[in-house]
Amino acid sequence: MACILLYSRVAPSSYRHTRTCVCIFSLSLSLSYICYCLLFSSDAIMQKPSDPTQNCLRLRSDGGKKLQQKSPYCTLPLDARATREISLHEANQSNASVNHNTVRNFTSDRPTTNNMGSGKFGNKKLPNAIIVGVKKGGTRAVLEFIRIHPDVRAVGTETHFFDRNYDRGLDWYRCLMPRTMESQITMEKTPSYFVTRETPRRISAMSRDTKLIVVVRDPVTRVISDYTQTLSKTPDIPSFQDLAFQNQSLGLVDTSWNAIRIGMYALHLENWLRYFPLSQIHFVNGERLITDPAGELARVQDFLGLKRIVTDKHFYFNRTKGFPCLKKPESSSSPRCLGKSKGRTHIQIDHDTIEQLRDFYRPYNVKFYEMVGQDFRWE
């Protein structure tokens, strides 16, 4: 109206008529624009909150990836994202199973390209194979040698789960294991298992399919090695003869001394065979492990169902230690030998004492040879 009054005073009538039409048309357009904006805003305000997942799907079909990434409607809540990722994961890995209760944690728990080479990749599993004995037989050497196989992961320390920590439960035991891929074998070693009466039953209760490895050596050499180790830690212990015999002049061996009792292999094996077939127990020859480590490791790999990757090229004989060592790995500047306690020089025991011990162990050795079908020639 102001526009009409203004032009009616200052302009001629024909000119005023034209300008009046223009003003009315402009005013009409302005009013139409204001009404359109009000209607659009009202529709957005009155619209009920929609499922963000549906908005994502709509935007994906309408505008492709670029529109999806720029749109605020396509930011899914955590549960929605996790659920969608689980569906994609299950489609790609038919063997994977995802518990409904772990949906919220799936995003952070699943393996990613960032941790492919880290220790967090894979799962912690109960062991497929256990080195159960024997003490001072060469168990540490077998573990260190087999660990260089890419399909083997092993606990470095002795867990003592089945003989000292069984009351902690299998979940505690599993937590001690290294993370492994589906194709890898999990191992541990605790030499005292072989002579602990409850251990075979407990391992069988965990899994009857567990493969067992026993490293054995001449029981006379073994008991001397055992005493040498103890003497290095406790110098004031009684003499070897005092511990080994009840009455040496009569040749009465003291079987209550644990170092003597460990070498009665047949006695302990009888207990294991109550729970495991002989086919699930592999015996490593401790003497051959020193003279032919590659040959013994080849048999261990066969027993575990592994490809023979650990071979002669991995070993050299250390004349100072009198023991085989691993050659220098590509990632190290020096060869890998066992610790100072391995290959230790034994104390000197007189010939008569050794012969008395051989006489004592002979019937146990013969029975052991018959049980395992192998003559170790400990004479």
Side-chain angles (χ1 to χ4, degrees), residues 89 93 108-123 150 153 179-184:
H89 183 74
Q93 298 184 7
S108 60
D109 286 345
R110 76 186 190 281
T112 65
T113 54
N114 292 332
N115 62 15
M116 285 286 284
S118 73
K120 292 184 178 179
F121 187 62
N123 299 309
R153 295 294 306 283
R179 293 182 182 272
T180 53
M181 299 288 291
E182 190 64 31
S183 60
Q184 291 179 310

Side-chain angles (χ1 to χ4, degrees), residues 32-62:
S32 297
Y33 177 76
I34 292 170
C35 290
Y36 176 81
C37 291
L38 290 173
L39 288 172
F40 182 82
S41 300
S42 175
D43 181 66
I45 294 170
M46 296 300 292
Q47 185 180 12
K48 293 182 179 180
S50 61
D51 181 3
T53 307
Q54 293 176 355
N55 284 335
C56 272
L57 294 175
R58 174 176 58 78
L59 288 171
R60 185 177 291 116
S61 61
D62 291 345

Side-chain angles (χ1 to χ4, degrees), residues 127-326:
N128 312 89
I130 303 175
I131 301 174
V132 297
V134 297
K135 181 183 179 184
K136 307 309 297 177
T139 57
R140 172 57 60 181
V142 171
L143 183 71
E144 293 303 318
F145 294 165
I146 196 63
R147 284 174 76 180
I148 66 176
H149 197 292
D151 290 334
V152 173
R153 295 294 306 283
V155 185
T157 58
E158 296 173 7
T159 69
H160 286 281
F161 172 66
F162 292 104
D163 59 352
R164 300 179 190 173
N165 298 301
Y166 193 64
D167 59 334
R168 294 177 180 264
L170 286 174
D171 287 340
W172 178 86
Y173 185 47
R174 183 186 288 108
C175 285
L176 301 179
M177 298 299 124
R179 293 182 182 272
T180 53
M181 299 288 291
E182 190 64 31
S183 60
Q184 291 179 310
I185 290 176
T186 303
M187 290 185 67
E188 76 118 324
K189 79 123 181 149
T190 302
S192 57
Y193 287 165
F194 188 66
V195 298
T196 305
R197 187 162 187 81
E198 299 83 5
T199 299
R201 174 179 56 80
R202 291 171 175 176
I203 294 179
S204 176
M206 177 188 73
S207 174
R208 293 183 178 180
D209 296 326
T210 306
K211 292 187 176 183
L212 309 169
I213 297 174
V214 186
V215 190
V216 291
R217 69 190 294 194
D218 184 336
V220 175
T221 307
R222 198 220 66 81
V223 71
I224 296 172
S225 177
D226 199 335
Y227 178 80
T228 301
Q229 182 183 58
T230 304
L231 185 65
S232 69
K233 299 177 181 178
T234 315
D236 58 346
I237 60 172
S239 69
F240 179 85
Q241 287 82 355
D242 287 344
L243 292 171
F245 294 93
Q246 291 179 340
N247 188 326
Q248 187 172 6
S249 60
L250 297 176
L252 295 178
V253 175
D254 191 351
T255 57
S256 66
W257 186 29
N258 192 53
I260 287 288
R261 193 168 181 81
I262 289 173
M264 301 161 66
Y265 302 141
L267 188 68
H268 306 299
L269 182 58
E270 286 179 342
N271 187 36
W272 285 89
L273 293 178
R274 292 171 58 196
Y275 299 93
F276 291 94
L278 190 62
S279 59
Q280 271 179 243
I281 308 175
H282 177 72
F283 298 92
V284 176
N285 187 318
E287 283 77 26
R288 280 209 304 260
L289 183 64
I290 296 174
T291 60
D292 182 22
E296 284 302 306
L297 264 292
R299 285 180 277 274
V300 171
Q301 290 171 94
D302 292 345
F303 172 69
L304 295 175
L306 299 170
K307 184 179 179 180
R308 288 189 177 186
I309 291 178
V310 184
T311 60
D312 277 322
K313 67 181 182 180
H314 292 95
F315 301 98
Y316 80 96
F317 190 80
N318 186 312
R319 295 187 181 279
T320 302
K321 294 180 71 69
F323 207 83
C325 295
L326 292 170

